[in-house]
Amino acid sequence: MSTQKQRVRGMDGLLRTKSVEQSIRDTEEPGHKLRKNLTALDLTVFGIGVIIGTGIFVLTGQVAKEVAGPAVALAFVAAGLVCALAALCYAEFASTVPVAGSAYTFSYASLGELLAWIIGWDLILEMALACSVVAVGWSGYVRSLLDNAGWHLPQALSGTSAEHGFGFDLLAFLLVLVLTGVLVAGMKLSARVTSVVVAIKVGVVLVVIIVGAFFIKADNYKPFIPPAHESSGEGSGLTAPLIQLLSGYTPSTFGIMGIFTAAAVVFFAFIGFDIVATAAEETKVPQRDVPRGILGSLVICTVLYVAVSIVVTGMQKYTELSVEAPLADAFKSQGHPFWAGLIGFGAAVGLTTVCMILLLGQTRVFFAMSRDGLLPRTFSHVHPRFQTPARSTVILGVFVAFIAGFTSISELAELVNIGTLFAFAVVALGVLVLRRTRPDLPRGFRAPLVPWLPIVSVCASLWLMLNLPAETWLRFAIWMVLGMVIYFAYGRRNSRMNSAGDAEVPPEIPAASADR
């Protein structure tokens, strides 16, 4: 053991790992213990609640009109498959390490403290921006409904926009604060609120599919895959996709390759299933229920996305689809404003759960990093009555509320995609490493086809990342540099793994017993 400790110190602890056993023991620490009261159904509802949101209500029309045509349905399938590869890796990890923190905790157990910090810092940014983006979208839907009722908010309280300049988005700000209060009050209350809202949201989606099917015209599907041409909308310099700058390859719109270009865009619609893993520590039987929640919610949402995209592009020619509200406007084009209004209401109600679950995921990652000492330990204390991480929830909730209230975040939304894809790649690598270093661990769920499935998952995630603009990579790099400064200035010195008995190095890989 002394040799191992010397190796850890020699590497300055950057590659020290936290054993799975230690991670699980930490969940029982007095004052830092979360209540276990979630079931597989709760987790599936959480997954559906966060996945079905802006993507299905907005991206369907935008991508069909500008990138893929009716073949947007195939783009959803492609993006869903990339997520399915990652979901299988997440399911194995969550059943093996049922601890709050998701990809952060998994990385700490397999790849070392430095990479765990990087992925945790990445997840904090991803979920904060995603929650803010959705809150602003929710605010827009609610203002539209209020305008229809004759009530108008002052422009100064309607947010920042290119047309009207700087403003404060009061509705988005208040939404995040209210949801913060719900999360402080407890996970079971959050699950009940989510169940009601998800039922409304899924009901609206089923209305689109069932009622819209009666207005499908076969001619609208011709051609199902429009002829390909180079994307004239792509920018140059930092606004161009990174793959274009590196190789000269220009992503195309329409055609077969247009489907994959579209998949990189509609990927945003699937963000959230990984948040189910952050609730593993608060689940009654995590080894069984977390994999069911992750995979179940992903399958259900993929089927709904494909069905909606087929119906909407069948109702209205893809060249005529609305970019802002494609589902509602498709019904308006058929002379049915009632259904259009119902869809607008469903979208506004449904986006509340997206915000809440994104905020939930962010607070649990922050809580796990704080409990490990990489962030101040005070943020990992739980409320004596509600047994939730109230301090970190309130601080992050207020922070996200101000971002949503003061910032126009349209160009930052792509940071959410790159952050999520980066997490997917790291988790897939972690599965490979942990299968080798700890083949003895009990696994409630085992990803199939290891090592090939994780390798394909990494490659697919990297491909979608390369299709994002270079400026997104630059912003991501700046955030990562800031994170590294904080880690070396505070986290490395205050990590609980600095104590003499905690620091561990993964055991030598036993070639004969490596679990493949």
Side-chain angles (χ1 to χ4, degrees):
M1 176 63 79
S2 60
T3 303
Q4 286 186 330
K5 289 176 183 174
Q6 288 171 1
R7 288 169 59 194
V8 171
R9 293 191 185 100
M11 294 181 289
D12 292 326
L14 299 183
L15 299 181
R16 60 191 171 198
T17 60
K18 182 179 180 181
S19 71
V20 173
E21 292 82 2
Q22 182 62 48
S23 294
I24 294 174
R25 282 196 297 271
D26 285 349
T27 66
E28 301 298 324
E29 186 181 355
H32 302 270
K33 180 179 179 180
L34 299 174
R35 180 177 293 163
K36 298 178 183 292
N37 54 13
L38 297 180
T39 65
L41 179 60
D42 291 327
L43 296 177
T44 303
V45 169
F46 272 136
I48 296 172
V50 72
I51 297 172
I52 296 182
T54 307
I56 201 167
F57 291 112
V58 177
L59 285 181
T60 306
Q62 175 186 340
V63 176
K65 184 173 184 176
E66 300 175 355
V67 184
V72 65
L74 300 180
F76 276 115
V77 171
L81 287 174
V82 174
C83 290
L85 295 173
L88 291 168
C89 297
Y90 268 90
E92 174 167 327
F93 249 132
S95 69
T96 309
V97 195
V99 178
S102 184
Y104 159 75
T105 301
F106 306 158
S107 300
Y108 214 159
S110 56
L111 300 173
E113 184 174 281
L114 178 61
L115 196 54
W117 166 268
I118 290 172
I119 201 66
W121 187 247
D122 160 58
L123 289 173
I124 289 173
L125 171 72
E126 170 205 330
M127 295 179 192
L129 291 180
C131 184
S132 301
V133 169
V134 175
V136 171
W138 175 88
S139 174
Y141 271 108
V142 172
R143 286 199 306 273
S144 176
L145 292 172
L146 291 176
D147 289 342
N148 292 339
W151 300 336
H152 306 286
L153 275 180
Q155 190 57 51
L157 297 178
S158 298
T160 301
S161 67
E163 304 155 58
H164 303 286
F166 182 78
F168 180 71
D169 196 328
L170 178 64
L171 293 178
F173 178 81
L174 293 177
L175 172 69
V176 176
L177 291 185
V178 169
L179 295 179
T180 298
V182 172
L183 289 175
V184 169
M187 281 292 284
K188 201 62 185 177
L189 174 61
S190 305
R192 289 171 182 159
V193 171
T194 302
S195 298
V196 173
V197 177
V198 166
I200 296 172
K201 182 161 53 175
V202 172
V204 170
V205 172
L206 292 176
V207 164
V208 172
I209 296 170
I210 296 170
V211 177
F214 290 97
F215 302 107
I216 290 176
K217 296 176 183 176
D219 287 345
N220 289 334
Y221 291 128
K222 299 176 182 176
F224 188 76
I225 303 179
H229 58 79
E230 285 193 357
S231 175
S232 58
E234 299 293 347
S236 58
L238 291 179
T239 61
L242 184 63
I243 191 172
Q244 181 176 334
L245 297 180
L246 294 177
S247 66
Y249 162 77
T250 303
S252 61
T253 56
F254 305 110
I256 298 296
M257 293 308 297
I259 294 172
F260 296 102
T261 302
V265 179
V266 301
F267 176 81
F268 182 83
F270 288 92
I271 287 174
F273 78 84
D274 54 318
I275 293 175
V276 174
T278 67
E281 190 174 327
E282 295 158 275
T283 304
K284 293 178 181 177
V285 190
Q287 292 79 5
R288 179 196 67 194
D289 292 344
V290 174
R292 290 181 180 180
I294 291 175
L295 298 172
S297 58
L298 182 61
V299 169
I300 291 170
C301 292
T302 301
V303 170
L304 292 177
Y305 277 164
V306 172
V308 166
S309 59
I310 289 174
V311 167
V312 170
T313 53
M315 289 178 64
Q316 192 174 16
K317 191 70 175 178
Y318 73 92
T319 54
E320 300 170 2
L321 282 171
S322 160
V323 172
E324 291 78 17
L327 274 62
D329 289 349
F331 279 93
K332 284 182 183 178
S333 72
Q334 300 295 324
H336 292 278
F338 169 77
W339 296 116
L342 180 66
I343 291 168
F345 171 76
V349 171
L351 291 179
T352 58
T353 58
V354 181
C355 282
M356 183 171 72
I357 300 168
L358 286 168
L359 193 59
L360 161 72
Q362 184 193 33
T363 59
R364 292 328 186 248
V365 173
F366 199 85
F367 167 81
M369 296 176 73
S370 171
R371 187 165 59 187
D372 289 334
L374 300 182
L375 291 171
R377 287 267 289 168
T378 184
F379 297 128
S380 62
H381 287 285
V382 299
H383 193 280
R385 176 184 172 190
F386 301 123
Q387 287 188 276
T388 57
R391 295 178 185 176
S392 57
T393 301
V394 169
I395 287 176
L396 291 171
V398 171
F399 173 69
V400 172
F402 275 103
I403 293 178
F406 282 111
T407 314
S408 175
I409 336 182
S410 56
E411 40 185 50
L412 296 182
E414 285 169 332
L415 274 171
V416 179
N417 278 10
I418 195 171
T420 303
L421 287 163
F422 179 61
F424 284 3
V426 169
V427 168
L429 287 173
V431 167
L432 286 174
V433 172
L434 208 61
R435 283 280 190 106
R436 290 258 180 188
T437 58
R438 294 297 307 274
D440 57 304
L441 283 174
R443 290 167 169 84
F445 177 88
R446 302 175 72 85
L449 303 175
V450 175
W452 304 112
L453 184 142
I455 291 172
V456 172
S457 178
V458 171
C459 293
S461 298
L462 290 176
W463 170 254
L464 293 184
M465 289 173 73
L466 288 172
N467 279 276
L468 293 171
E471 62 183 350
T472 299
W473 283 81
L474 179 60
R475 293 188 182 110
F476 183 64
I478 292 172
W479 177 256
M480 287 294 111
V481 168
L482 176 61
M484 294 300 288
V485 171
I486 294 174
Y487 172 72
F488 284 104
Y490 179 89
R492 186 164 67 103
R493 290 186 295 104
N494 292 278
S495 170
R496 296 181 69 193
M497 299 300 287
N498 260 335
S499 59
D502 284 342
E504 299 184 10
V505 170
E508 295 297 328
I509 297 172
S513 62
D515 187 351
R516 301 179 188 278

